[in-house]
């Protein structure tokens, strides 16, 4: 297969949940946001709002609310999310569902639009691939609304002036991977998932 930069990022990107405390640079953040803004969107409506939070206290509080509102099926010896970068389903001691990531971007989209989740997911993938190409780790966090489901979360939504009718679809965590960690390996791909005629 011919070398291709996009394919390289696709193959190399992994969910990172153990972050260096150092913040990513403004230039890196801008590029990652640009990647999200240029993602496809249903009907070309560009409905996704990217709320960037680099306030550690707020990120920690929201991550803890999210953890408290999550009831993940806990991992077993054979069924786990990641041994190298454990998720909250792998390790009950993890109390912050945002894993202390220095940058947390919440993707908001209209509540009454059929393609809101799709729009956020494609934007997030663009951002994760670009992040990987810059040496930045990322993790997709689903069910974004659960981070705001308490009075502090509601206060944050008002402070951020999220328009009425929008909801938090997901979060994208960003930060440099810890230097001491080995880059995680992809799990083997399940077979027989392609059907060809
Ligand atoms: C829709 C979706 C929701 C996810 N939600 C979470 C989450 O809440 N917490 C988490 O730690 N990882 C979450 N992930 C990351 C997955 O756990 C991760 O992508 C998966 O284990 C495969 O690992 P890889 O990304 O390194 O290939 C989510 C991924 C997707 C696509």
């Amino acid at each position: 297969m011919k070398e291709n930069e996009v394919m390289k990022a696709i193959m190399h990107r992994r969910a990172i949940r153990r972050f260096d405390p150092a913040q990513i640079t403004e230039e890196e953040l801008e590029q990652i946001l640009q990647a999200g803004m240029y993602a496809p969107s249903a009907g070309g409506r560009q409905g996704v709002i990217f709320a960037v939070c680099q306030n550690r206290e707020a990120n920690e509080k929201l991550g803890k609310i999210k953890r408290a509102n999550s009831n993940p099926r806990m991992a077993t010896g054979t069924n786990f999310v990641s041994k190298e970068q454990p998720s909250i389903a792998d390790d009950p001691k993890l109390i912050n569902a945002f894993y202390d990531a220095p940058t947390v971007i919440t993707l908001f989209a209209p509540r009454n639009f059929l393609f809101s989740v799709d729009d956020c997911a494609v934007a997030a993938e663009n951002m994760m691939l670009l992040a990987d190409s810059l040496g930045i780790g990322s993790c997709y966090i689903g069910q974004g609304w659960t981070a705001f489901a308490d009075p502090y979360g509601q206060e944050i939504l008002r402070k951020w002036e999220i328009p009425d009718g929008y909801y938090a679809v997901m979060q994208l965590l960003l930060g440099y991977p810890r230097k001491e960690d080995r880059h995680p390996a992809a799990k083997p791909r399940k077979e027989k998932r392609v059907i060809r005629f």
Side-chain angles (χ1 to χ4, degrees):
M1 213 186 284
K2 256 208 329 220
E3 269 230 338
N4 175 284
E5 290 302 316
V6 179
M7 195 60 183
K8 249 201 261 175
I10 290 171
M11 298 305 281
H12 186 262
R13 181 216 59 80
R14 298 272 70 79
I16 296 298
R17 303 184 185 85
R18 289 163 50 93
F19 295 98
D20 189 294
Q23 189 53 275
I24 62 171
T25 69
E26 197 54 31
E27 196 188 342
E28 289 165 337
L29 174 64
E30 284 299 328
Q31 269 190 285
I32 292 168
L33 288 168
Q34 187 87 331
M37 306 264 278
Y38 273 80
S41 66
R45 286 164 59 141
Q46 299 183 37
V48 177
I49 292 174
F50 303 83
V52 180
C53 185
Q54 294 186 314
N55 177 316
R56 282 173 198 276
E57 193 192 333
N59 282 339
E60 190 182 331
K61 280 192 181 168
L62 294 170
K64 285 182 175 169
I65 295 169
K66 184 169 175 69
R67 176 67 188 87
N69 286 331
S70 307
N71 195 9
R73 194 150 23 103
M74 293 312 284
T76 62
T78 49
N79 189 4
F80 54 86
V81 180
S82 171
K83 297 259 189 234
E84 295 145 301
Q85 299 273 329
S87 82
I88 55 170
D90 295 319
D91 182 356
K93 290 193 293 298
L94 292 170
I95 53 163
N96 178 352
F98 296 160
Y99 309 105
D100 298 314
T103 296
V104 179
I105 305 181
T106 299
L107 276 64
F108 290 87
R111 200 178 285 283
N112 61 354
F113 182 49
L114 262 182
F115 299 108
S116 280
V117 175
D118 313 55
D119 282 353
C120 290
V122 289
E125 179 68 356
N126 263 19
M127 295 162 90
M128 292 191 288
L129 293 178
L130 203 273
D132 182 88
S133 76
L134 298 174
I136 294 169
S138 66
C139 189
Y140 189 121
I141 304 291
Q143 303 193 327
W145 62 89
T146 57
F148 301 98
D150 95 341
Y152 176 79
Q154 293 298 304
E155 183 194 316
I156 288 282
L157 291 182
R158 281 191 294 276
K159 198 165 147 192
W160 290 356
E161 298 181 4
I162 301 304
D164 273 352
Y166 276 69
Y167 80 109
V169 176
M170 51 140 323
Q171 275 88 23
L172 183 68
L173 311 183
L174 294 169
Y176 302 120
R178 285 195 207 166
K179 288 176 195 71
E180 64 269 29
D181 287 343
R182 203 166 53 90
H183 188 69
K187 283 185 186 165
R189 298 296 99 175
K190 288 188 179 168
E191 285 176 19
K192 300 195 178 126
R193 293 197 296 151
V194 177
I195 300 167
R196 293 182 60 163
F197 301 96

